[in-house]
Structures are given as structure tokens and as C-alpha cells.
Amino acid sequence: SFEQWLFNLIWDKRIVDTQCNELSALSADDTILRIKGILLIRDDHGNIVPNALQVVNEQFELQPLARVQKTIDSTHLIFIGRFTATTE
């Protein structure tokens, strides 16, 4: 699930696939300060509802958007932080 992926990223500093297999890990110098975005999530009635995501350090909030002025057709995430460049 998205929440499990997010927990792995912000708390364990791991990047995982949909089965939680580790694909990569953030280095000790990498820091995620914020994540902001809009997620499309299916509700209990099967409707797709846009939700606002806000992550600050290791805390997150996910809230359904009551009013949307424009059609949202995909999930969008913005990552803000400090990341080291690696070359392999």
C-alpha cells in the first residue's frame, strides 16, 4: 500500500517496491524535509477521492479534499530535502 511505502521511506529511509522488497536505501547524508502531494485514493464506496498529503520530517497527514476546483486525474508528489548525488 502507499502508506507502507511512505512509512518505509520516512521512518526507515528505505525505498521499497509494492511488495516491500528493498530497492535502495537513502544515505546517511540524505534528508527528506517535506513531501507534499495529491493522492487519488479509492474510498469505501469505490469512488476515487483526491487526498492532500503533507509530510514534515517524520510526521504525516493525509486528508480528503472536500472541494476540488479542477479535475485531478493522477497522483502528484513533491519531495523537498537534501540528497547526495551518487555515481555508479
Side-chain angles (χ1 to χ4, degrees):
S1 75
F2 177 80
E3 287 181 340
Q4 188 63 42
W5 176 85
L6 182 64
F7 297 159
N8 276 290
L9 181 63
I10 64 175
W11 291 331
D12 299 332
K13 310 297 186 213
R14 298 176 355 163
I15 299 169
V16 298
D17 64 14
T18 56
Q19 282 77 41
C20 289
N21 298 311
E22 185 170 323
L23 300 174
S24 182
L26 298 179
S27 78
D29 296 330
D30 293 337
T31 304
I32 297 174
L33 301 172
R34 295 182 187 270
I35 303 171
K36 294 189 176 259
I38 302 217
L39 303 175
L40 299 180
I41 299 175
R42 193 171 304 277
D43 68 10
D44 295 337
H45 304 289
N47 301 314
I48 295 177
V49 178
N51 285 257
L53 171 70
Q54 178 164 286
V55 177
V56 178
N57 297 318
E58 294 184 353
Q59 303 294 317
F60 82 97
E61 179 180 46
L62 186 61
Q63 293 290 323
L65 293 173
R67 294 183 185 170
V68 178
Q69 296 183 1
K70 128 179 196 184
T71 302
I72 299 170
D73 57 1
S74 63
T75 292
H76 299 275
L77 296 175
I78 298 172
F79 294 83
I80 303 164
R82 290 184 295 258
F83 305 98
T84 56
T86 59
T87 56
E88 296 184 24

